[in-house]
Amino acid sequence: MPESSAVSPQYASIPHRDHTAELGMWVFIATEVLLFGGLILAYLVYRHVFPQGFAAGSRHTEIVIGTANTALLLTSSFLVAWAVEVFSPATTGIVTWLLVGAACLGLVFIALKGIEYSKEYDEHLVPGIDFQFAGPKASGVQLFFVFYFIATAIHALHMLIGICLLVTLAIICRRAPTTRHRTALHSAALYWHFVDVVWIFLFALIYLPGRSIS
């Protein structure tokens, strides 16, 4: 695998450069944990205050779409992990297709989320734009959907960034793979897996509460 022996002066060696890049990704992920952790903490506080309203709101979400999206993301994570595992000059073709496949699954996720948003708009469940829900649980349901749209929209934005990363790496690795690209692919894989883990938490918080209540 071609690789120049020259590295930027701030690095002592190529391994030092690669370890620094990975550390940078872990620091970035730590900041993201603070972001989503704050959202989830707010969710838990308001769910404690409005348990019935949050359960009622959850029952109005599209659990079939949520489950399908979970399966899509888990499959895409598998493809990305596979690409990292087999990355070499002799496997640029399969690495490219694995990354493109993962990116396509991510796009399907975004499309399904758009369909879900459309259904919720038709049902007048979008706070601040068109929200109508009668009954004593209305305040709790509205707070639930405030969290729902903020959390899922931020997650979708992270998905779009991840898709761009995967497509870019697929193009670069296809043309001239180097050990530096292996490091970049590894960092992108960390990001993609993190986005998937966040979705698993969101799925459990958004789609599952109140499902056992008739």
Side-chain angles (χ1 to χ4, degrees):
M1 184 174 296
E3 174 66 287
S4 171
S5 58
V7 295
S8 299
Q10 66 267 33
Y11 303 117
S13 62
I14 290 176
H16 181 212
R17 179 199 65 192
D18 295 345
H19 291 157
T20 302
E22 183 175 342
L23 177 62
M25 178 53 70
W26 279 113
V27 170
F28 173 75
I29 289 175
T31 63
E32 295 293 288
V33 169
L34 293 176
L35 170 63
F36 284 102
L39 283 173
I40 291 173
L41 177 61
Y43 170 93
L44 293 176
V45 169
Y46 283 108
R47 180 180 170 183
H48 179 72
V49 177
F50 302 98
Q52 294 182 344
F54 272 52
S58 177
R59 288 194 294 274
H60 281 79
T61 57
E62 301 290 335
I63 192 169
V64 173
I65 293 179
T67 303
N69 273 343
T70 303
L72 287 171
L73 283 191
L74 291 176
T75 305
S76 70
S77 263
F78 171 74
L79 296 181
V80 172
W82 190 0
V84 172
E85 182 66 24
V86 302
F87 182 86
S88 76
T91 59
T92 54
I94 188 170
V95 168
T96 299
W97 283 112
L98 288 171
L99 294 178
V100 170
C104 289
L105 292 176
L107 288 174
V108 175
F109 176 100
I110 296 297
L112 288 176
K113 179 51 67 181
I115 293 172
E116 192 175 5
Y117 282 171
S118 175
K119 287 177 176 289
E120 282 143 2
Y121 179 79
D122 292 340
E123 295 174 6
H124 311 288
L125 294 173
V126 184
I129 297 178
D130 183 9
F131 185 84
Q132 298 176 25
F133 194 94
K137 302 174 185 175
S139 296
V141 173
Q142 186 170 17
L143 281 172
F144 171 85
F145 277 100
V146 167
F147 168 82
Y148 165 82
F149 280 106
I150 291 175
T152 56
I154 293 175
H155 180 266
L157 177 61
H158 284 71
M159 286 283 301
L160 290 173
I161 294 171
I163 290 168
C164 292
L165 285 174
L166 294 179
V167 172
T168 302
L169 284 170
I171 295 171
I172 293 174
C173 293
R174 178 67 175 173
R175 290 177 177 174
T178 69
T179 55
R180 187 172 187 174
H181 295 147
R182 181 199 295 276
T183 303
L185 178 57
H186 187 258
S187 295
L190 285 176
Y191 176 84
W192 193 254
H193 295 326
F194 168 74
V195 172
D196 288 1
V197 170
V198 168
W199 175 254
I200 291 173
F201 277 96
L202 294 182
F203 175 78
L205 294 174
I206 290 171
Y207 295 93
L208 300 185
R211 292 290 174 182
S212 61
I213 301 174
S214 58

